[in-house]
Amino acid sequence: MRMLRYLLAGGIAVLVVGCSSSPSPKLPSSSQPESTGPADYVRPHKDGAPWWDVDVSRIPDATPTPHNGPFKANPYTVLGKTYYPINDGRNYKATGVASWYGTKFHGQPTANGEKYDLYGMSAAHKTLPLPSYVRVTNLDNNRSVILRVNDRGPFYSDRIIDLSFAAAKKLGYAETGTARVKVEGIDPQQWWAERGGSAPAVLAQPVRSDSRGTSSLAQPVEKYTPPPTQHAAATLPVEVDRNDAPGGDGLFLQVGAFANPDAAQLLRDKLSSITQAPVFVSSVVHQEQILHRVRLGPISSPDEAAQLEQSVRLANLGQPRRVRGD
C-alpha cells in the first residue's frame, strides 16, 4: 500500500468523548468517522493550515485503546535509510522537536491505512509500532495531549514526531510551526486502570485499507518513497534566495525559524495582520539545513521593539527575540 509521508510527521484519531483526565473514559466508536472539512474540499499543492475553523478545545484527546491485532513494526527504507521500528512503545520516552502537517495530507491514507484528519488527534513517528499511543508535552508551556500514532515520519529533518494540526494547535505551536516536546509512550491497560476501570477485552479497530501488520523484524524491508514536498523541508547545503529580506544591519525581531517555508509564510501572514511594521522571511543555510526566518523590522528604537514584542505575545504568535540584520 502507499504509505503516506512526511512532514511536518498521524492518521485519523479514534475520537471519543472524555479526555485523559476523565474518571470514566468512554469506548471508541465502532466505526471510523469521516474526516472533517468542507464538502468541496480540494487538496492543495502546498501543506498548510486549514481555511475552515474548528474549536480545538472541544476535540477530545485520543483514548488509549488496547490493540489485539497485529502491529505494523516491520523495517522500511526511506531516502536510502532503513528504519527498524520497535515492537513495544509503552515505555518509549524522547525529547526533541515536533512539527505538524495539515491540508496537503488531509483525507489521505496514513502508513497503516487509516485516513488522516488534520482535526484528528494523531501523529506520525519513525519507529513506534503502529498503532500506539503517546502523551506529547510542549516543554515551553507544559500543555499535553494524548495521540494515536498511525503514520510514519518526519523524514526530512531532525524532528522526532509530526503531529496533526489540531494537536499542534492544542499544544500552542500551530502558528510557530515547531516546538520542543517530550514524548512518552502509553500502556492502554495501565491508562484504564489509573482511571478506576478495566480495559474491555475487545474493542473495534479503525477501518484500515491494508490490515497487514507484523511484530517481527524478520519481515522484508519495505520500500517507501514519501511525497516530494513534506512539512519539514529537505536539509540541503544550497545557496538560498533571501526572499524579501531588507538590507542593512539594523535591529530586528525574529519570531520564528522554520525548515518548512509554508509554516514561515503562515506566521508572516499572521504577523502582518496585527502590525504595520515590515514583516519578511529571510532564508539561510544553517548546519546544512535551510531555515526560513520570520522577522519584523528594521526597528528604529528599543521602545518600538518593546511595543512590537508585546503585540506579538498578546496575539499568541510566539516569543520574539531581538537580532541584528545579516
Side-chain angles (χ1 to χ4, degrees):
M1 54 169 269
R2 178 180 179 271
M3 300 173 62
L4 175 64
R5 308 221 37 145
Y6 181 86
L7 266 260
L8 278 263
I12 189 165
V14 182
L15 296 182
V16 297
V17 178
C19 61
S20 61
S21 60
S22 171
S24 301
K26 296 185 179 181
L27 298 183
S29 170
S30 59
S31 62
Q32 187 181 10
E34 293 297 321
S35 58
T36 60
D40 59 348
Y41 176 78
V42 177
R43 188 158 61 100
H45 294 295
K46 292 185 177 182
D47 197 19
W51 51 88
W52 66 98
D53 190 30
V54 173
D55 183 0
V56 297
S57 67
R58 301 177 64 87
I59 300 176
D61 285 0
T63 297
T65 303
H67 183 72
N68 299 309
F71 288 90
K72 192 174 185 63
N74 44 302
Y76 62 96
T77 298
V78 176
L79 302 175
K81 180 177 180 180
T82 300
Y83 296 88
Y84 295 91
I86 60 179
N87 293 321
D88 187 347
R90 292 174 295 180
N91 296 318
Y92 177 85
K93 291 185 179 180
T95 300
V97 177
S99 51
W100 60 266
Y101 58 121
T103 53
K104 181 177 174 64
F105 306 97
H106 183 69
Q108 300 300 300
T110 63
N112 70 339
E114 298 173 15
K115 185 181 293 185
Y116 174 60
D117 186 345
L118 60 82
Y119 277 119
M121 297 299 287
S122 59
H125 193 277
K126 290 187 283 285
T127 57
L128 282 171
L130 306 181
S132 57
Y133 293 87
V134 294
R135 179 184 297 276
V136 180
T137 302
N138 186 335
L139 296 176
D140 293 326
N141 58 24
N142 209 36
R143 297 182 192 175
S144 292
V145 292
I146 292 178
L147 306 173
R148 177 179 172 89
V149 180
N150 60 2
D151 206 1
R152 289 297 182 214
F155 299 114
Y156 289 105
S157 69
D158 59 352
R159 315 295 192 244
I160 64 169
I161 194 168
D162 212 14
L163 274 54
S164 66
F165 172 80
K169 191 77 172 177
K170 292 180 77 172
L171 288 181
Y173 75 89
E175 287 78 11
T176 56
T178 60
R180 297 185 309 113
V181 299
K182 176 174 62 175
V183 182
E184 302 170 283
I186 293 176
D187 181 343
Q189 297 285 355
Q190 181 180 350
W191 185 88
W192 283 75
E194 289 173 349
R195 283 149 185 79
S198 57
V202 177
L203 289 175
Q205 299 297 320
V207 176
R208 306 162 76 106
S209 61
D210 184 349
S211 60
R212 291 174 298 174
T214 179
S215 60
S216 172
L217 293 182
Q219 296 296 318
V221 175
E222 294 185 354
K223 299 298 182 182
Y224 172 35
T225 302
T229 302
Q230 301 234 0
H231 198 76
T235 57
L236 300 174
V238 298
E239 184 175 352
V240 176
D241 180 2
R242 292 189 178 272
N243 303 319
D244 52 354
D249 58 354
L251 178 64
F252 299 85
L253 288 184
Q254 181 165 308
V255 187
F258 308 92
N260 175 25
D262 295 330
Q265 186 62 41
L266 174 63
L267 178 57
R268 179 186 183 277
D269 293 343
K270 293 278 189 180
L271 290 169
S272 296
S273 69
I274 67 166
T275 179
Q276 297 298 316
V279 186
F280 62 93
V281 176
S282 172
S283 300
V284 296
V285 174
H286 177 67
Q287 295 180 348
E288 296 189 348
Q289 180 174 16
I290 302 174
L291 292 180
H292 306 279
R293 305 172 302 183
V294 183
R295 293 183 169 185
L296 293 165
I299 302 169
S300 59
S301 68
D303 288 342
E304 181 186 357
Q307 292 177 356
L308 288 171
E309 288 169 342
Q310 183 178 19
S311 297
V312 172
R313 293 190 183 105
L314 288 176
N316 197 29
L317 293 179
Q319 297 295 324
R321 62 187 182 90
R322 301 182 189 188
V323 297
R324 288 290 173 181
D326 299 325

